[in-house]
Amino acid sequence: MPATVPTDQAALRTVVEAALDRFLARQRDRLADIDADLAPVAAALRDFVLNGGKRLRPAFAYWGHRGAGGAHSDQLVGAVASLELLQACALIHDDVMDASDTRRGEPAVHRRFAGLHAARDWTGDPDAFGTGAAILLGDLCLGWSAEMYDASGLPPAVLAAARREYDLMRTEVMAGQYLDLLAQADVRHSSRERAGKVARYKSAKYTVERPLLLGGRLAGATPDVLAAYSAYGLPLGEAFQLRDDVLGVFGDPSSTGKPAGDDLREGKRTYLVAAAYETATPTGRALLDARLGDRALTAAGVAELRSLIIDTGALSDTESRIATLTAAALDALTGAAIEPAAAEVLTRLAAAATNRAF
């Protein structure tokens, strides 16, 4: 048993990142044994995984375990840290799909490898090389996430008890990503109801509910505790995604790591945008139709769309929904048979997930 047991998110983050660092070092050596030319792959994945990120998924899994009466162990940390590699897969592929230039203030993985291609004056198209490399690196992270989970050292029967949650988590996030792509391509899917469904599967279940249930099942949680986790996790996860949507339009690039208004240039059919579209005048809808998804959208164009979103009441509507969903999540913790220390951390995590500054 380790001498120090995490009592808050900061302490947990430290041990999760240490576990990831050790795992990635072993994978770096494995890649080096295959070929020296894989060194940029190992370096890119180490940088991407360790340089930034909130570690929310490992946190919800860990505190889901502790809240159900499970004990802290290095093996548990290894199992929940594996979720960060699944998140890396999702983000790397998401940046390819959105043609994003940056992530956390650094070049996105596909841009990094396009730059490597150009710098070394290789033959062919640098952008095609970067896209292909990013797809492979994302796939590698997906495989590594399962490998780290299985090799965590927890008993096989314990890991198997939570495996269904892990499997559903992977299926649901990929399904949510496709529905997000579809909403951008087919405007018939632009509605608050549809945006809410995308948020539930792309983020709510994947970010909060499934990790909580995974951690709970690793601890042998009772049905009542698992039900409380779902009642907390689904609304909180949706609120988290709605906050992300607001930041994607109104966020400060120094905090978000992405250019201002990037979601507008990418044509994201979020709840925020759907709310604006549903309540806008015909002139406002025409503006959305003309500007949303315009990769060349200027700062003035972003400002114009921001004003429209505010004037239609879509921003205030979205903020109200975030508050309602967060309150519902916190209500689910009241009276639930969850260990008090874990319930306190889950309360703080709810605030951290939904009250991020512009």
PDB file of all heavy atoms in Angstrom, residues 332-357:
ATOM      1  N   ALA A 332     -28.205  14.250  -6.886  1.00  0.00           N
ATOM      2  CA  ALA A 332     -28.090  12.788  -6.907  1.00  0.00           C
ATOM      3  C   ALA A 332     -27.104  12.280  -5.861  1.00  0.00           C
ATOM      4  O   ALA A 332     -27.183  11.118  -5.441  1.00  0.00           O
ATOM      5  CB  ALA A 332     -27.661  12.319  -8.299  1.00  0.00           C
ATOM      6  N   LEU A 333     -26.164  13.121  -5.449  1.00  0.00           N
ATOM      7  CA  LEU A 333     -25.217  12.717  -4.420  1.00  0.00           C
ATOM      8  C   LEU A 333     -25.824  12.769  -3.030  1.00  0.00           C
ATOM      9  O   LEU A 333     -25.376  12.061  -2.123  1.00  0.00           O
ATOM     10  CB  LEU A 333     -23.980  13.626  -4.453  1.00  0.00           C
ATOM     11  CG  LEU A 333     -23.083  13.546  -5.693  1.00  0.00           C
ATOM     12  CD1 LEU A 333     -21.931  14.531  -5.552  1.00  0.00           C
ATOM     13  CD2 LEU A 333     -22.558  12.130  -5.915  1.00  0.00           C
ATOM     14  N   THR A 334     -26.855  13.601  -2.852  1.00  0.00           N
ATOM     15  CA  THR A 334     -27.475  13.777  -1.543  1.00  0.00           C
ATOM     16  C   THR A 334     -28.203  12.504  -1.135  1.00  0.00           C
ATOM     17  O   THR A 334     -29.083  12.020  -1.834  1.00  0.00           O
ATOM     18  CB  THR A 334     -28.476  14.938  -1.564  1.00  0.00           C
ATOM     19  OG1 THR A 334     -27.813  16.118  -2.017  1.00  0.00           O
ATOM     20  CG2 THR A 334     -29.045  15.182  -0.181  1.00  0.00           C
ATOM     21  N   GLY A 335     -27.816  11.966  -0.021  1.00  0.00           N
ATOM     22  CA  GLY A 335     -28.480  10.772   0.496  1.00  0.00           C
ATOM     23  C   GLY A 335     -27.995   9.474  -0.105  1.00  0.00           C
ATOM     24  O   GLY A 335     -28.417   8.391   0.320  1.00  0.00           O
ATOM     25  N   ALA A 336     -27.117   9.532  -1.114  1.00  0.00           N
ATOM     26  CA  ALA A 336     -26.599   8.305  -1.713  1.00  0.00           C
ATOM     27  C   ALA A 336     -25.579   7.659  -0.771  1.00  0.00           C
ATOM     28  O   ALA A 336     -24.885   8.336  -0.016  1.00  0.00           O
ATOM     29  CB  ALA A 336     -25.950   8.609  -3.056  1.00  0.00           C
ATOM     30  N   ALA A 337     -25.500   6.333  -0.829  1.00  0.00           N
ATOM     31  CA  ALA A 337     -24.604   5.586   0.057  1.00  0.00           C
ATOM     32  C   ALA A 337     -23.185   5.585  -0.497  1.00  0.00           C
ATOM     33  O   ALA A 337     -22.600   4.542  -0.792  1.00  0.00           O
ATOM     34  CB  ALA A 337     -25.118   4.167   0.231  1.00  0.00           C
ATOM     35  N   ILE A 338     -22.639   6.781  -0.633  1.00  0.00           N
ATOM     36  CA  ILE A 338     -21.293   6.970  -1.167  1.00  0.00           C
ATOM     37  C   ILE A 338     -20.389   7.424  -0.033  1.00  0.00           C
ATOM     38  O   ILE A 338     -20.798   8.247   0.811  1.00  0.00           O
ATOM     39  CB  ILE A 338     -21.301   8.017  -2.310  1.00  0.00           C
ATOM     40  CG1 ILE A 338     -22.210   7.537  -3.447  1.00  0.00           C
ATOM     41  CG2 ILE A 338     -19.899   8.284  -2.819  1.00  0.00           C
ATOM     42  CD1 ILE A 338     -22.464   8.593  -4.500  1.00  0.00           C
ATOM     43  N   GLU A 339     -19.186   6.897   0.018  1.00  0.00           N
ATOM     44  CA  GLU A 339     -18.256   7.293   1.067  1.00  0.00           C
ATOM     45  C   GLU A 339     -18.125   8.819   1.100  1.00  0.00           C
ATOM     46  O   GLU A 339     -17.923   9.454   0.056  1.00  0.00           O
ATOM     47  CB  GLU A 339     -16.884   6.664   0.823  1.00  0.00           C
ATOM     48  CG  GLU A 339     -16.844   5.163   1.013  1.00  0.00           C
ATOM     49  CD  GLU A 339     -17.061   4.760   2.466  1.00  0.00           C
ATOM     50  OE1 GLU A 339     -16.538   5.459   3.359  1.00  0.00           O
ATOM     51  OE2 GLU A 339     -17.760   3.751   2.691  1.00  0.00           O
ATOM     52  N   PRO A 340     -18.260   9.445   2.283  1.00  0.00           N
ATOM     53  CA  PRO A 340     -18.303  10.909   2.370  1.00  0.00           C
ATOM     54  C   PRO A 340     -17.109  11.633   1.739  1.00  0.00           C
ATOM     55  O   PRO A 340     -17.276  12.651   1.079  1.00  0.00           O
ATOM     56  CB  PRO A 340     -18.356  11.162   3.880  1.00  0.00           C
ATOM     57  CG  PRO A 340     -18.991   9.929   4.436  1.00  0.00           C
ATOM     58  CD  PRO A 340     -18.494   8.803   3.582  1.00  0.00           C
ATOM     59  N   ALA A 341     -15.901  11.102   1.921  1.00  0.00           N
ATOM     60  CA  ALA A 341     -14.726  11.781   1.360  1.00  0.00           C
ATOM     61  C   ALA A 341     -14.799  11.802  -0.159  1.00  0.00           C
ATOM     62  O   ALA A 341     -14.470  12.811  -0.805  1.00  0.00           O
ATOM     63  CB  ALA A 341     -13.451  11.094   1.821  1.00  0.00           C
ATOM     64  N   ALA A 342     -15.236  10.700  -0.753  1.00  0.00           N
ATOM     65  CA  ALA A 342     -15.364  10.643  -2.214  1.00  0.00           C
ATOM     66  C   ALA A 342     -16.490  11.552  -2.685  1.00  0.00           C
ATOM     67  O   ALA A 342     -16.365  12.228  -3.714  1.00  0.00           O
ATOM     68  CB  ALA A 342     -15.616   9.209  -2.664  1.00  0.00           C
ATOM     69  N   ALA A 343     -17.604  11.575  -1.957  1.00  0.00           N
ATOM     70  CA  ALA A 343     -18.726  12.444  -2.336  1.00  0.00           C
ATOM     71  C   ALA A 343     -18.297  13.909  -2.320  1.00  0.00           C
ATOM     72  O   ALA A 343     -18.718  14.697  -3.187  1.00  0.00           O
ATOM     73  CB  ALA A 343     -19.905  12.225  -1.388  1.00  0.00           C
ATOM     74  N   GLU A 344     -17.452  14.271  -1.371  1.00  0.00           N
ATOM     75  CA  GLU A 344     -16.956  15.656  -1.305  1.00  0.00           C
ATOM     76  C   GLU A 344     -16.104  15.986  -2.530  1.00  0.00           C
ATOM     77  O   GLU A 344     -16.240  17.062  -3.122  1.00  0.00           O
ATOM     78  CB  GLU A 344     -16.139  15.849  -0.035  1.00  0.00           C
ATOM     79  CG  GLU A 344     -15.624  17.277   0.152  1.00  0.00           C
ATOM     80  CD  GLU A 344     -14.827  17.456   1.430  1.00  0.00           C
ATOM     81  OE1 GLU A 344     -14.917  16.589   2.319  1.00  0.00           O
ATOM     82  OE2 GLU A 344     -14.103  18.461   1.519  1.00  0.00           O
ATOM     83  N   VAL A 345     -15.244  15.057  -2.936  1.00  0.00           N
ATOM     84  CA  VAL A 345     -14.415  15.290  -4.117  1.00  0.00           C
ATOM     85  C   VAL A 345     -15.289  15.348  -5.371  1.00  0.00           C
ATOM     86  O   VAL A 345     -15.072  16.193  -6.246  1.00  0.00           O
ATOM     87  CB  VAL A 345     -13.339  14.203  -4.264  1.00  0.00           C
ATOM     88  CG1 VAL A 345     -12.556  14.408  -5.562  1.00  0.00           C
ATOM     89  CG2 VAL A 345     -12.388  14.234  -3.083  1.00  0.00           C
ATOM     90  N   LEU A 346     -16.298  14.482  -5.470  1.00  0.00           N
ATOM     91  CA  LEU A 346     -17.194  14.510  -6.618  1.00  0.00           C
ATOM     92  C   LEU A 346     -17.953  15.832  -6.692  1.00  0.00           C
ATOM     93  O   LEU A 346     -18.220  16.345  -7.785  1.00  0.00           O
ATOM     94  CB  LEU A 346     -18.172  13.332  -6.558  1.00  0.00           C
ATOM     95  CG  LEU A 346     -17.558  11.950  -6.799  1.00  0.00           C
ATOM     96  CD1 LEU A 346     -18.591  10.858  -6.554  1.00  0.00           C
ATOM     97  CD2 LEU A 346     -16.982  11.835  -8.209  1.00  0.00           C
ATOM     98  N   THR A 347     -18.279  16.398  -5.554  1.00  0.00           N
ATOM     99  CA  THR A 347     -18.932  17.718  -5.539  1.00  0.00           C
ATOM    100  C   THR A 347     -17.997  18.785  -6.095  1.00  0.00           C
ATOM    101  O   THR A 347     -18.398  19.627  -6.901  1.00  0.00           O
ATOM    102  CB  THR A 347     -19.354  18.078  -4.106  1.00  0.00           C
ATOM    103  OG1 THR A 347     -20.298  17.100  -3.631  1.00  0.00           O
ATOM    104  CG2 THR A 347     -20.003  19.460  -4.060  1.00  0.00           C
ATOM    105  N   ARG A 348     -16.727  18.718  -5.688  1.00  0.00           N
ATOM    106  CA  ARG A 348     -15.758  19.693  -6.186  1.00  0.00           C
ATOM    107  C   ARG A 348     -15.489  19.484  -7.673  1.00  0.00           C
ATOM    108  O   ARG A 348     -15.301  20.445  -8.426  1.00  0.00           O
ATOM    109  CB  ARG A 348     -14.459  19.604  -5.385  1.00  0.00           C
ATOM    110  CG  ARG A 348     -14.591  20.035  -3.928  1.00  0.00           C
ATOM    111  CD  ARG A 348     -13.246  20.404  -3.323  1.00  0.00           C
ATOM    112  NE  ARG A 348     -12.325  19.281  -3.290  1.00  0.00           N
ATOM    113  CZ  ARG A 348     -12.194  18.432  -2.273  1.00  0.00           C
ATOM    114  NH1 ARG A 348     -12.972  18.581  -1.208  1.00  0.00           N
ATOM    115  NH2 ARG A 348     -11.312  17.463  -2.307  1.00  0.00           N
ATOM    116  N   LEU A 349     -15.473  18.233  -8.116  1.00  0.00           N
ATOM    117  CA  LEU A 349     -15.250  17.955  -9.536  1.00  0.00           C
ATOM    118  C   LEU A 349     -16.385  18.509 -10.389  1.00  0.00           C
ATOM    119  O   LEU A 349     -16.164  18.944 -11.526  1.00  0.00           O
ATOM    120  CB  LEU A 349     -15.111  16.446  -9.766  1.00  0.00           C
ATOM    121  CG  LEU A 349     -13.756  15.832  -9.437  1.00  0.00           C
ATOM    122  CD1 LEU A 349     -13.831  14.308  -9.521  1.00  0.00           C
ATOM    123  CD2 LEU A 349     -12.674  16.356 -10.363  1.00  0.00           C
ATOM    124  N   ALA A 350     -17.596  18.496  -9.853  1.00  0.00           N
ATOM    125  CA  ALA A 350     -18.722  19.057 -10.603  1.00  0.00           C
ATOM    126  C   ALA A 350     -18.506  20.537 -10.869  1.00  0.00           C
ATOM    127  O   ALA A 350     -18.771  21.039 -11.971  1.00  0.00           O
ATOM    128  CB  ALA A 350     -20.026  18.837  -9.823  1.00  0.00           C
ATOM    129  N   ALA A 351     -18.016  21.242  -9.860  1.00  0.00           N
ATOM    130  CA  ALA A 351     -17.743  22.675 -10.042  1.00  0.00           C
ATOM    131  C   ALA A 351     -16.603  22.881 -11.037  1.00  0.00           C
ATOM    132  O   ALA A 351     -16.674  23.745 -11.915  1.00  0.00           O
ATOM    133  CB  ALA A 351     -17.401  23.304  -8.697  1.00  0.00           C
ATOM    134  N   ALA A 352     -15.562  22.069 -10.934  1.00  0.00           N
ATOM    135  CA  ALA A 352     -14.420  22.209 -11.839  1.00  0.00           C
ATOM    136  C   ALA A 352     -14.803  21.922 -13.281  1.00  0.00           C
ATOM    137  O   ALA A 352     -14.290  22.556 -14.202  1.00  0.00           O
ATOM    138  CB  ALA A 352     -13.290  21.270 -11.398  1.00  0.00           C
ATOM    139  N   ALA A 353     -15.716  20.984 -13.472  1.00  0.00           N
ATOM    140  CA  ALA A 353     -16.103  20.596 -14.838  1.00  0.00           C
ATOM    141  C   ALA A 353     -17.008  21.608 -15.509  1.00  0.00           C
ATOM    142  O   ALA A 353     -17.034  21.688 -16.735  1.00  0.00           O
ATOM    143  CB  ALA A 353     -16.791  19.228 -14.799  1.00  0.00           C
ATOM    144  N   THR A 354     -17.741  22.383 -14.733  1.00  0.00           N
ATOM    145  CA  THR A 354     -18.768  23.244 -15.316  1.00  0.00           C
ATOM    146  C   THR A 354     -18.543  24.729 -15.130  1.00  0.00           C
ATOM    147  O   THR A 354     -19.216  25.534 -15.798  1.00  0.00           O
ATOM    148  CB  THR A 354     -20.156  22.894 -14.731  1.00  0.00           C
ATOM    149  OG1 THR A 354     -20.124  23.058 -13.309  1.00  0.00           O
ATOM    150  CG2 THR A 354     -20.526  21.466 -15.061  1.00  0.00           C
ATOM    151  N   ASN A 355     -17.620  25.123 -14.276  1.00  0.00           N
ATOM    152  CA  ASN A 355     -17.435  26.551 -14.004  1.00  0.00           C
ATOM    153  C   ASN A 355     -16.125  27.087 -14.556  1.00  0.00           C
ATOM    154  O   ASN A 355     -15.547  28.029 -14.027  1.00  0.00           O
ATOM    155  CB  ASN A 355     -17.444  26.798 -12.478  1.00  0.00           C
ATOM    156  CG  ASN A 355     -18.818  26.567 -11.897  1.00  0.00           C
ATOM    157  OD1 ASN A 355     -19.830  26.613 -12.608  1.00  0.00           O
ATOM    158  ND2 ASN A 355     -18.882  26.306 -10.599  1.00  0.00           N
ATOM    159  N   ARG A 356     -15.649  26.480 -15.659  1.00  0.00           N
ATOM    160  CA  ARG A 356     -14.395  26.949 -16.261  1.00  0.00           C
ATOM    161  C   ARG A 356     -14.565  28.344 -16.830  1.00  0.00           C
ATOM    162  O   ARG A 356     -15.587  28.668 -17.444  1.00  0.00           O
ATOM    163  CB  ARG A 356     -13.947  25.978 -17.361  1.00  0.00           C
ATOM    164  CG  ARG A 356     -13.481  24.659 -16.812  1.00  0.00           C
ATOM    165  CD  ARG A 356     -13.322  23.625 -17.898  1.00  0.00           C
ATOM    166  NE  ARG A 356     -14.626  23.193 -18.388  1.00  0.00           N
ATOM    167  CZ  ARG A 356     -14.813  22.542 -19.523  1.00  0.00           C
ATOM    168  NH1 ARG A 356     -13.787  22.283 -20.305  1.00  0.00           N
ATOM    169  NH2 ARG A 356     -16.016  22.157 -19.883  1.00  0.00           N
ATOM    170  N   ALA A 357     -13.554  29.178 -16.624  1.00  0.00           N
ATOM    171  CA  ALA A 357     -13.657  30.584 -17.016  1.00  0.00           C
ATOM    172  C   ALA A 357     -13.545  30.745 -18.517  1.00  0.00           C
ATOM    173  O   ALA A 357     -12.968  29.929 -19.207  1.00  0.00           O
ATOM    174  CB  ALA A 357     -12.548  31.395 -16.336  1.00  0.00           C
TER     175      ALA A 357
END
